Every structure is written in structure tokens, then in C-alpha cells.
PDB file of all heavy atoms in Angstrom:
ATOM      1  N   LEU A 229      -2.200  33.045  61.085  1.00 95.00           N
ATOM      2  CA  LEU A 229      -2.285  31.857  61.957  1.00 95.00           C
ATOM      3  C   LEU A 229      -1.257  30.814  61.594  1.00 95.00           C
ATOM      4  O   LEU A 229      -0.714  30.145  62.434  1.00 95.00           O
ATOM      5  CB  LEU A 229      -3.669  31.248  61.829  1.00 95.00           C
ATOM      6  CG  LEU A 229      -4.747  31.721  62.747  1.00 95.00           C
ATOM      7  CD1 LEU A 229      -6.063  31.092  62.373  1.00 95.00           C
ATOM      8  CD2 LEU A 229      -4.447  31.448  64.211  1.00 95.00           C
ATOM      9  N   ARG A 230      -0.990  30.685  60.282  1.00 95.00           N
ATOM     10  CA  ARG A 230      -0.064  29.653  59.806  1.00 95.00           C
ATOM     11  C   ARG A 230       1.340  30.197  59.597  1.00 95.00           C
ATOM     12  O   ARG A 230       2.201  29.441  59.136  1.00 95.00           O
ATOM     13  CB  ARG A 230      -0.618  29.055  58.528  1.00 95.00           C
ATOM     14  CG  ARG A 230      -1.900  28.294  58.749  1.00 95.00           C
ATOM     15  CD  ARG A 230      -2.401  27.648  57.534  1.00 95.00           C
ATOM     16  NE  ARG A 230      -3.593  26.894  57.831  1.00 95.00           N
ATOM     17  CZ  ARG A 230      -4.387  26.385  56.913  1.00 95.00           C
ATOM     18  NH1 ARG A 230      -4.097  26.523  55.640  1.00 95.00           N
ATOM     19  NH2 ARG A 230      -5.484  25.734  57.267  1.00 95.00           N
ATOM     20  N   SER A 231       1.568  31.438  59.914  1.00 96.00           N
ATOM     21  CA  SER A 231       2.879  32.067  59.671  1.00 96.00           C
ATOM     22  C   SER A 231       3.943  31.396  60.535  1.00 96.00           C
ATOM     23  O   SER A 231       3.678  30.915  61.642  1.00 96.00           O
ATOM     24  CB  SER A 231       2.831  33.553  59.944  1.00 96.00           C
ATOM     25  OG  SER A 231       2.708  33.811  61.326  1.00 96.00           O
ATOM     26  N   GLU A 232       5.156  31.441  60.064  1.00 97.00           N
ATOM     27  CA  GLU A 232       6.273  30.881  60.789  1.00 97.00           C
ATOM     28  C   GLU A 232       6.395  31.582  62.152  1.00 97.00           C
ATOM     29  O   GLU A 232       6.685  30.940  63.158  1.00 97.00           O
ATOM     30  CB  GLU A 232       7.566  31.044  59.999  1.00 97.00           C
ATOM     31  CG  GLU A 232       8.762  30.402  60.648  1.00 97.00           C
ATOM     32  CD  GLU A 232      10.021  30.515  59.824  1.00 97.00           C
ATOM     33  OE1 GLU A 232       9.947  30.535  58.568  1.00 97.00           O
ATOM     34  OE2 GLU A 232      11.097  30.625  60.437  1.00 97.00           O
ATOM     35  N   ARG A 233       6.157  32.903  62.191  1.00 97.00           N
ATOM     36  CA  ARG A 233       6.255  33.659  63.433  1.00 97.00           C
ATOM     37  C   ARG A 233       5.286  33.111  64.471  1.00 97.00           C
ATOM     38  O   ARG A 233       5.693  32.782  65.577  1.00 97.00           O
ATOM     39  CB  ARG A 233       5.975  35.122  63.135  1.00 97.00           C
ATOM     40  CG  ARG A 233       6.072  36.015  64.387  1.00 97.00           C
ATOM     41  CD  ARG A 233       5.385  37.402  64.208  1.00 97.00           C
ATOM     42  NE  ARG A 233       3.959  37.234  64.254  1.00 97.00           N
ATOM     43  CZ  ARG A 233       3.126  37.347  63.182  1.00 97.00           C
ATOM     44  NH1 ARG A 233       3.590  37.646  62.011  1.00 97.00           N
ATOM     45  NH2 ARG A 233       1.815  37.170  63.346  1.00 97.00           N
ATOM     46  N   HIS A 234       4.003  33.032  64.087  1.00 97.00           N
ATOM     47  CA  HIS A 234       2.985  32.594  65.101  1.00 97.00           C
ATOM     48  C   HIS A 234       3.198  31.143  65.484  1.00 97.00           C
ATOM     49  O   HIS A 234       3.124  30.781  66.653  1.00 97.00           O
ATOM     50  CB  HIS A 234       1.578  32.866  64.561  1.00 97.00           C
ATOM     51  CG  HIS A 234       0.538  32.631  65.622  1.00 97.00           C
ATOM     52  ND1 HIS A 234       0.406  33.430  66.727  1.00 97.00           N
ATOM     53  CD2 HIS A 234      -0.402  31.664  65.726  1.00 97.00           C
ATOM     54  CE1 HIS A 234      -0.591  33.006  67.494  1.00 97.00           C
ATOM     55  NE2 HIS A 234      -1.091  31.917  66.924  1.00 97.00           N
ATOM     56  N   VAL A 235       3.414  30.290  64.506  1.00 96.00           N
ATOM     57  CA  VAL A 235       3.612  28.852  64.777  1.00 96.00           C
ATOM     58  C   VAL A 235       4.793  28.655  65.699  1.00 96.00           C
ATOM     59  O   VAL A 235       4.766  27.833  66.627  1.00 96.00           O
ATOM     60  CB  VAL A 235       3.742  28.049  63.467  1.00 96.00           C
ATOM     61  CG1 VAL A 235       4.180  26.640  63.742  1.00 96.00           C
ATOM     62  CG2 VAL A 235       2.435  28.098  62.689  1.00 96.00           C
ATOM     63  N   SER A 236       5.877  29.406  65.499  1.00 97.00           N
ATOM     64  CA  SER A 236       7.076  29.227  66.318  1.00 97.00           C
ATOM     65  C   SER A 236       6.813  29.649  67.764  1.00 97.00           C
ATOM     66  O   SER A 236       7.358  29.063  68.701  1.00 97.00           O
ATOM     67  CB  SER A 236       8.267  29.982  65.754  1.00 97.00           C
ATOM     68  OG  SER A 236       8.097  31.361  65.884  1.00 97.00           O
ATOM     69  N   ILE A 237       5.954  30.650  67.954  1.00 97.00           N
ATOM     70  CA  ILE A 237       5.573  31.086  69.309  1.00 97.00           C
ATOM     71  C   ILE A 237       4.728  30.004  69.993  1.00 97.00           C
ATOM     72  O   ILE A 237       4.989  29.621  71.115  1.00 97.00           O
ATOM     73  CB  ILE A 237       4.837  32.438  69.263  1.00 97.00           C
ATOM     74  CG1 ILE A 237       5.800  33.540  68.782  1.00 97.00           C
ATOM     75  CG2 ILE A 237       4.261  32.784  70.631  1.00 97.00           C
ATOM     76  CD1 ILE A 237       5.121  34.857  68.460  1.00 97.00           C
ATOM     77  N   VAL A 238       3.691  29.517  69.281  1.00 96.00           N
ATOM     78  CA  VAL A 238       2.816  28.517  69.843  1.00 96.00           C
ATOM     79  C   VAL A 238       3.589  27.245  70.155  1.00 96.00           C
ATOM     80  O   VAL A 238       3.365  26.585  71.173  1.00 96.00           O
ATOM     81  CB  VAL A 238       1.613  28.207  68.919  1.00 96.00           C
ATOM     82  CG1 VAL A 238       0.802  27.047  69.384  1.00 96.00           C
ATOM     83  CG2 VAL A 238       0.759  29.470  68.749  1.00 96.00           C
ATOM     84  N   SER A 239       4.527  26.864  69.284  1.00 96.00           N
ATOM     85  CA  SER A 239       5.256  25.600  69.492  1.00 96.00           C
ATOM     86  C   SER A 239       6.112  25.602  70.759  1.00 96.00           C
ATOM     87  O   SER A 239       6.533  24.538  71.215  1.00 96.00           O
ATOM     88  CB  SER A 239       6.123  25.288  68.260  1.00 96.00           C
ATOM     89  OG  SER A 239       7.172  26.216  68.159  1.00 96.00           O
ATOM     90  N   LYS A 240       6.349  26.753  71.342  1.00 97.00           N
ATOM     91  CA  LYS A 240       7.124  26.848  72.585  1.00 97.00           C
ATOM     92  C   LYS A 240       6.291  26.563  73.850  1.00 97.00           C
ATOM     93  O   LYS A 240       6.842  26.456  74.944  1.00 97.00           O
ATOM     94  CB  LYS A 240       7.768  28.224  72.689  1.00 97.00           C
ATOM     95  CG  LYS A 240       8.829  28.464  71.647  1.00 97.00           C
ATOM     96  CD  LYS A 240       9.405  29.874  71.746  1.00 97.00           C
ATOM     97  CE  LYS A 240      10.396  30.076  70.630  1.00 97.00           C
ATOM     98  NZ  LYS A 240      10.825  31.458  70.535  1.00 97.00           N
ATOM     99  N   VAL A 241       4.985  26.393  73.673  1.00 97.00           N
ATOM    100  CA  VAL A 241       4.133  26.119  74.831  1.00 97.00           C
ATOM    101  C   VAL A 241       4.480  24.730  75.351  1.00 97.00           C
ATOM    102  O   VAL A 241       4.401  23.722  74.656  1.00 97.00           O
ATOM    103  CB  VAL A 241       2.627  26.193  74.451  1.00 97.00           C
ATOM    104  CG1 VAL A 241       1.740  25.729  75.588  1.00 97.00           C
ATOM    105  CG2 VAL A 241       2.270  27.619  74.027  1.00 97.00           C
ATOM    106  N   LYS A 242       4.909  24.668  76.614  1.00 95.00           N
ATOM    107  CA  LYS A 242       5.338  23.429  77.231  1.00 95.00           C
ATOM    108  C   LYS A 242       4.176  22.473  77.357  1.00 95.00           C
ATOM    109  O   LYS A 242       3.071  22.821  77.739  1.00 95.00           O
ATOM    110  CB  LYS A 242       5.947  23.705  78.599  1.00 95.00           C
ATOM    111  CG  LYS A 242       7.280  24.441  78.505  1.00 95.00           C
ATOM    112  CD  LYS A 242       7.784  24.768  79.892  1.00 95.00           C
ATOM    113  CE  LYS A 242       9.121  25.472  79.859  1.00 95.00           C
ATOM    114  NZ  LYS A 242       9.081  26.827  79.348  1.00 95.00           N
ATOM    115  N   GLY A 243       4.438  21.188  77.012  1.00 96.00           N
ATOM    116  CA  GLY A 243       3.419  20.174  77.109  1.00 96.00           C
ATOM    117  C   GLY A 243       2.517  20.025  75.897  1.00 96.00           C
ATOM    118  O   GLY A 243       1.690  19.097  75.840  1.00 96.00           O
ATOM    119  N   LEU A 244       2.688  20.888  74.901  1.00 97.00           N
ATOM    120  CA  LEU A 244       1.873  20.820  73.679  1.00 97.00           C
ATOM    121  C   LEU A 244       2.307  19.661  72.829  1.00 97.00           C
ATOM    122  O   LEU A 244       3.481  19.539  72.477  1.00 97.00           O
ATOM    123  CB  LEU A 244       2.005  22.149  72.901  1.00 97.00           C
ATOM    124  CG  LEU A 244       1.221  22.219  71.585  1.00 97.00           C
ATOM    125  CD1 LEU A 244      -0.287  22.150  71.858  1.00 97.00           C
ATOM    126  CD2 LEU A 244       1.573  23.543  70.877  1.00 97.00           C
ATOM    127  N   ASN A 245       1.397  18.743  72.525  1.00 96.00           N
ATOM    128  CA  ASN A 245       1.679  17.567  71.681  1.00 96.00           C
ATOM    129  C   ASN A 245       1.310  17.769  70.215  1.00 96.00           C
ATOM    130  O   ASN A 245       1.956  17.206  69.356  1.00 96.00           O
ATOM    131  CB  ASN A 245       0.892  16.353  72.195  1.00 96.00           C
ATOM    132  CG  ASN A 245       1.431  15.851  73.494  1.00 96.00           C
ATOM    133  OD1 ASN A 245       2.614  15.983  73.804  1.00 96.00           O
ATOM    134  ND2 ASN A 245       0.564  15.329  74.329  1.00 96.00           N
ATOM    135  N   LYS A 246       0.276  18.579  69.985  1.00 95.00           N
ATOM    136  CA  LYS A 246      -0.231  18.672  68.634  1.00 95.00           C
ATOM    137  C   LYS A 246      -1.007  19.960  68.471  1.00 95.00           C
ATOM    138  O   LYS A 246      -1.711  20.379  69.407  1.00 95.00           O
ATOM    139  CB  LYS A 246      -1.148  17.469  68.343  1.00 95.00           C
ATOM    140  CG  LYS A 246      -1.708  17.346  66.966  1.00 95.00           C
ATOM    141  CD  LYS A 246      -2.541  16.068  66.898  1.00 95.00           C
ATOM    142  CE  LYS A 246      -3.164  15.838  65.566  1.00 95.00           C
ATOM    143  NZ  LYS A 246      -3.917  14.574  65.496  1.00 95.00           N
ATOM    144  N   GLU A 247      -0.881  20.591  67.313  1.00 95.00           N
ATOM    145  CA  GLU A 247      -1.657  21.785  67.002  1.00 95.00           C
ATOM    146  C   GLU A 247      -2.284  21.604  65.621  1.00 95.00           C
ATOM    147  O   GLU A 247      -1.598  21.208  64.707  1.00 95.00           O
ATOM    148  CB  GLU A 247      -0.815  23.049  66.989  1.00 95.00           C
ATOM    149  CG  GLU A 247      -1.594  24.270  66.596  1.00 95.00           C
ATOM    150  CD  GLU A 247      -0.771  25.509  66.269  1.00 95.00           C
ATOM    151  OE1 GLU A 247       0.441  25.362  66.050  1.00 95.00           O
ATOM    152  OE2 GLU A 247      -1.366  26.588  66.220  1.00 95.00           O
ATOM    153  N   ILE A 248      -3.535  21.852  65.527  1.00 95.00           N
ATOM    154  CA  ILE A 248      -4.278  21.801  64.237  1.00 95.00           C
ATOM    155  C   ILE A 248      -4.992  23.122  64.068  1.00 95.00           C
ATOM    156  O   ILE A 248      -5.610  23.623  64.989  1.00 95.00           O
ATOM    157  CB  ILE A 248      -5.276  20.646  64.225  1.00 95.00           C
ATOM    158  CG1 ILE A 248      -4.583  19.300  64.326  1.00 95.00           C
ATOM    159  CG2 ILE A 248      -6.138  20.680  62.971  1.00 95.00           C
ATOM    160  CD1 ILE A 248      -5.502  18.101  64.433  1.00 95.00           C
ATOM    161  N   VAL A 249      -4.890  23.664  62.856  1.00 94.00           N
ATOM    162  CA  VAL A 249      -5.685  24.827  62.463  1.00 94.00           C
ATOM    163  C   VAL A 249      -6.661  24.398  61.358  1.00 94.00           C
ATOM    164  O   VAL A 249      -6.226  23.941  60.315  1.00 94.00           O
ATOM    165  CB  VAL A 249      -4.800  25.984  61.984  1.00 94.00           C
ATOM    166  CG1 VAL A 249      -5.677  27.145  61.502  1.00 94.00           C
ATOM    167  CG2 VAL A 249      -3.899  26.448  63.121  1.00 94.00           C
ATOM    168  N   ASN A 250      -7.935  24.516  61.639  1.00 96.00           N
ATOM    169  CA  ASN A 250      -8.967  24.190  60.659  1.00 96.00           C
ATOM    170  C   ASN A 250      -9.452  25.492  60.052  1.00 96.00           C
ATOM    171  O   ASN A 250     -10.000  26.356  60.726  1.00 96.00           O
ATOM    172  CB  ASN A 250     -10.144  23.496  61.338  1.00 96.00           C
ATOM    173  CG  ASN A 250      -9.732  22.206  62.009  1.00 96.00           C
ATOM    174  OD1 ASN A 250      -9.584  21.209  61.387  1.00 96.00           O
ATOM    175  ND2 ASN A 250      -9.519  22.257  63.326  1.00 96.00           N
ATOM    176  N   ASP A 251      -9.233  25.680  58.750  1.00 95.00           N
ATOM    177  CA  ASP A 251      -9.668  26.880  58.029  1.00 95.00           C
ATOM    178  C   ASP A 251     -11.124  26.710  57.696  1.00 95.00           C
ATOM    179  O   ASP A 251     -11.536  25.803  56.981  1.00 95.00           O
ATOM    180  CB  ASP A 251      -8.824  26.984  56.766  1.00 95.00           C
ATOM    181  CG  ASP A 251      -9.147  28.156  55.891  1.00 95.00           C
ATOM    182  OD1 ASP A 251     -10.080  28.945  56.254  1.00 95.00           O
ATOM    183  OD2 ASP A 251      -8.496  28.338  54.845  1.00 95.00           O
ATOM    184  N   VAL A 252     -11.985  27.591  58.258  1.00 96.00           N
ATOM    185  CA  VAL A 252     -13.414  27.507  58.018  1.00 96.00           C
ATOM    186  C   VAL A 252     -13.692  28.160  56.643  1.00 96.00           C
ATOM    187  O   VAL A 252     -13.189  29.257  56.361  1.00 96.00           O
ATOM    188  CB  VAL A 252     -14.204  28.240  59.118  1.00 96.00           C
ATOM    189  CG1 VAL A 252     -15.675  28.326  58.792  1.00 96.00           C
ATOM    190  CG2 VAL A 252     -13.949  27.574  60.474  1.00 96.00           C
ATOM    191  N   HIS A 253     -14.471  27.492  55.836  1.00 92.00           N
ATOM    192  CA  HIS A 253     -14.805  28.017  54.539  1.00 92.00           C
ATOM    193  C   HIS A 253     -15.615  29.319  54.729  1.00 92.00           C
ATOM    194  O   HIS A 253     -16.606  29.307  55.465  1.00 92.00           O
ATOM    195  CB  HIS A 253     -15.630  27.032  53.706  1.00 92.00           C
ATOM    196  CG  HIS A 253     -14.831  25.811  53.337  1.00 92.00           C
ATOM    197  ND1 HIS A 253     -14.815  25.291  52.080  1.00 92.00           N
ATOM    198  CD2 HIS A 253     -13.984  25.019  54.032  1.00 92.00           C
ATOM    199  CE1 HIS A 253     -14.022  24.237  52.035  1.00 92.00           C
ATOM    200  NE2 HIS A 253     -13.508  24.059  53.211  1.00 92.00           N
ATOM    201  N   PRO A 254     -15.156  30.413  54.136  1.00 81.00           N
ATOM    202  CA  PRO A 254     -15.761  31.726  54.412  1.00 81.00           C
ATOM    203  C   PRO A 254     -17.261  31.831  54.205  1.00 81.00           C
ATOM    204  O   PRO A 254     -17.934  32.561  54.931  1.00 81.00           O
ATOM    205  CB  PRO A 254     -15.038  32.667  53.448  1.00 81.00           C
ATOM    206  CG  PRO A 254     -13.801  31.965  53.057  1.00 81.00           C
ATOM    207  CD  PRO A 254     -14.090  30.495  53.153  1.00 81.00           C
ATOM    208  N   ASN A 255     -17.811  31.089  53.294  1.00 83.00           N
ATOM    209  CA  ASN A 255     -19.245  31.190  53.021  1.00 83.00           C
ATOM    210  C   ASN A 255     -20.035  30.018  53.566  1.00 83.00           C
ATOM    211  O   ASN A 255     -21.139  29.724  53.140  1.00 83.00           O
ATOM    212  CB  ASN A 255     -19.486  31.324  51.524  1.00 83.00           C
ATOM    213  CG  ASN A 255     -18.868  32.553  50.951  1.00 83.00           C
ATOM    214  OD1 ASN A 255     -18.917  33.597  51.575  1.00 83.00           O
ATOM    215  ND2 ASN A 255     -18.220  32.456  49.793  1.00 83.00           N
ATOM    216  N   SER A 256     -19.456  29.301  54.576  1.00 84.00           N
ATOM    217  CA  SER A 256     -20.115  28.074  55.074  1.00 84.00           C
ATOM    218  C   SER A 256     -21.349  28.396  55.922  1.00 84.00           C
ATOM    219  O   SER A 256     -22.249  27.573  55.951  1.00 84.00           O
ATOM    220  CB  SER A 256     -19.133  27.247  55.844  1.00 84.00           C
ATOM    221  OG  SER A 256     -18.666  27.930  56.999  1.00 84.00           O
ATOM    222  N   TYR A 257     -21.334  29.520  56.608  1.00 89.00           N
ATOM    223  CA  TYR A 257     -22.442  29.860  57.496  1.00 89.00           C
ATOM    224  C   TYR A 257     -22.342  31.348  57.851  1.00 89.00           C
ATOM    225  O   TYR A 257     -21.237  31.849  58.130  1.00 89.00           O
ATOM    226  CB  TYR A 257     -22.356  28.981  58.764  1.00 89.00           C
ATOM    227  CG  TYR A 257     -23.549  29.063  59.653  1.00 89.00           C
ATOM    228  CD1 TYR A 257     -24.695  28.315  59.356  1.00 89.00           C
ATOM    229  CD2 TYR A 257     -23.582  29.862  60.766  1.00 89.00           C
ATOM    230  CE1 TYR A 257     -25.840  28.355  60.146  1.00 89.00           C
ATOM    231  CE2 TYR A 257     -24.710  29.916  61.591  1.00 89.00           C
ATOM    232  CZ  TYR A 257     -25.824  29.170  61.256  1.00 89.00           C
ATOM    233  OH  TYR A 257     -26.933  29.216  62.061  1.00 89.00           O
ATOM    234  N   PRO A 258     -23.439  32.040  57.915  1.00 86.00           N
ATOM    235  CA  PRO A 258     -23.371  33.468  58.315  1.00 86.00           C
ATOM    236  C   PRO A 258     -22.726  33.612  59.711  1.00 86.00           C
ATOM    237  O   PRO A 258     -23.026  32.825  60.618  1.00 86.00           O
ATOM    238  CB  PRO A 258     -24.827  33.905  58.335  1.00 86.00           C
ATOM    239  CG  PRO A 258     -25.573  32.932  57.488  1.00 86.00           C
ATOM    240  CD  PRO A 258     -24.820  31.657  57.607  1.00 86.00           C
ATOM    241  N   ASN A 259     -21.864  34.532  59.833  1.00 90.00           N
ATOM    242  CA  ASN A 259     -21.148  34.806  61.094  1.00 90.00           C
ATOM    243  C   ASN A 259     -20.273  33.660  61.581  1.00 90.00           C
ATOM    244  O   ASN A 259     -19.946  33.572  62.758  1.00 90.00           O
ATOM    245  CB  ASN A 259     -22.148  35.196  62.206  1.00 90.00           C
ATOM    246  CG  ASN A 259     -22.981  36.378  61.845  1.00 90.00           C
ATOM    247  OD1 ASN A 259     -22.453  37.363  61.295  1.00 90.00           O
ATOM    248  ND2 ASN A 259     -24.267  36.318  62.120  1.00 90.00           N
ATOM    249  N   ALA A 260     -19.902  32.774  60.659  1.00 94.00           N
ATOM    250  CA  ALA A 260     -18.998  31.682  61.036  1.00 94.00           C
ATOM    251  C   ALA A 260     -17.625  32.233  61.392  1.00 94.00           C
ATOM    252  O   ALA A 260     -17.208  33.267  60.924  1.00 94.00           O
ATOM    253  CB  ALA A 260     -18.849  30.733  59.855  1.00 94.00           C
ATOM    254  N   PRO A 261     -16.889  31.520  62.298  1.00 97.00           N
ATOM    255  CA  PRO A 261     -15.546  31.944  62.592  1.00 97.00           C
ATOM    256  C   PRO A 261     -14.644  31.740  61.393  1.00 97.00           C
ATOM    257  O   PRO A 261     -15.039  31.099  60.416  1.00 97.00           O
ATOM    258  CB  PRO A 261     -15.146  31.010  63.743  1.00 97.00           C
ATOM    259  CG  PRO A 261     -15.973  29.801  63.524  1.00 97.00           C
ATOM    260  CD  PRO A 261     -17.280  30.280  62.951  1.00 97.00           C
ATOM    261  N   ASP A 262     -13.467  32.353  61.458  1.00 97.00           N
ATOM    262  CA  ASP A 262     -12.499  32.175  60.363  1.00 97.00           C
ATOM    263  C   ASP A 262     -11.706  30.876  60.479  1.00 97.00           C
ATOM    264  O   ASP A 262     -11.288  30.319  59.457  1.00 97.00           O
ATOM    265  CB  ASP A 262     -11.534  33.356  60.356  1.00 97.00           C
ATOM    266  CG  ASP A 262     -12.268  34.616  59.934  1.00 97.00           C
ATOM    267  OD1 ASP A 262     -12.392  34.858  58.718  1.00 97.00           O
ATOM    268  OD2 ASP A 262     -12.773  35.347  60.813  1.00 97.00           O
ATOM    269  N   ALA A 263     -11.572  30.390  61.680  1.00 97.00           N
ATOM    270  CA  ALA A 263     -10.797  29.141  61.871  1.00 97.00           C
ATOM    271  C   ALA A 263     -11.183  28.531  63.213  1.00 97.00           C
ATOM    272  O   ALA A 263     -11.762  29.183  64.090  1.00 97.00           O
ATOM    273  CB  ALA A 263      -9.307  29.451  61.844  1.00 97.00           C
ATOM    274  N   ILE A 264     -10.845  27.251  63.341  1.00 97.00           N
ATOM    275  CA  ILE A 264     -10.978  26.513  64.579  1.00 97.00           C
ATOM    276  C   ILE A 264      -9.581  25.942  64.861  1.00 97.00           C
ATOM    277  O   ILE A 264      -9.023  25.239  64.057  1.00 97.00           O
ATOM    278  CB  ILE A 264     -11.969  25.322  64.456  1.00 97.00           C
ATOM    279  CG1 ILE A 264     -13.318  25.761  63.877  1.00 97.00           C
ATOM    280  CG2 ILE A 264     -12.089  24.617  65.820  1.00 97.00           C
ATOM    281  CD1 ILE A 264     -14.227  26.484  64.777  1.00 97.00           C
ATOM    282  N   GLY A 265      -9.025  26.353  65.998  1.00 97.00           N
ATOM    283  CA  GLY A 265      -7.711  25.846  66.379  1.00 97.00           C
ATOM    284  C   GLY A 265      -7.834  24.788  67.464  1.00 97.00           C
ATOM    285  O   GLY A 265      -8.721  24.855  68.299  1.00 97.00           O
TER     286      GLY A 265
END
């Protein structure tokens, strides 16, 4: 998600002002997602 490859692709989306990736703590909740973008 944080790789230069993926970030460079996302950054080309027209009109995008800001991107945040929230890394979910793996043991925070059963079946929790891995991240919130």
C-alpha cells in the first residue's frame, strides 16, 4: 500500500487532494481490516 509503485499510481488520480493510509493494528479486533485508506 505504501510502496512507491502504488502511491505513484494513486497520485495520478485527477482531483485528489490528500491520501491517508491508516495501518490497523493486527490484533485490535477479530476480523479487523488491515488498513483504512
Side-chain angles (χ1 to χ4, degrees):
L229 271 173
R230 294 184 178 169
S231 71
E232 184 177 329
R233 181 197 73 252
H234 189 68
V235 171
S236 70
I237 294 169
V238 173
S239 69
K240 292 178 183 170
V241 173
K242 291 177 180 69
L244 179 63
N245 289 329
K246 183 177 180 179
E247 177 192 16
I248 296 175
V249 175
N250 300 280
D251 180 359
V252 174
H253 293 227
N255 299 319
S256 64
Y257 190 80
N259 302 318
D262 291 276
I264 310 282

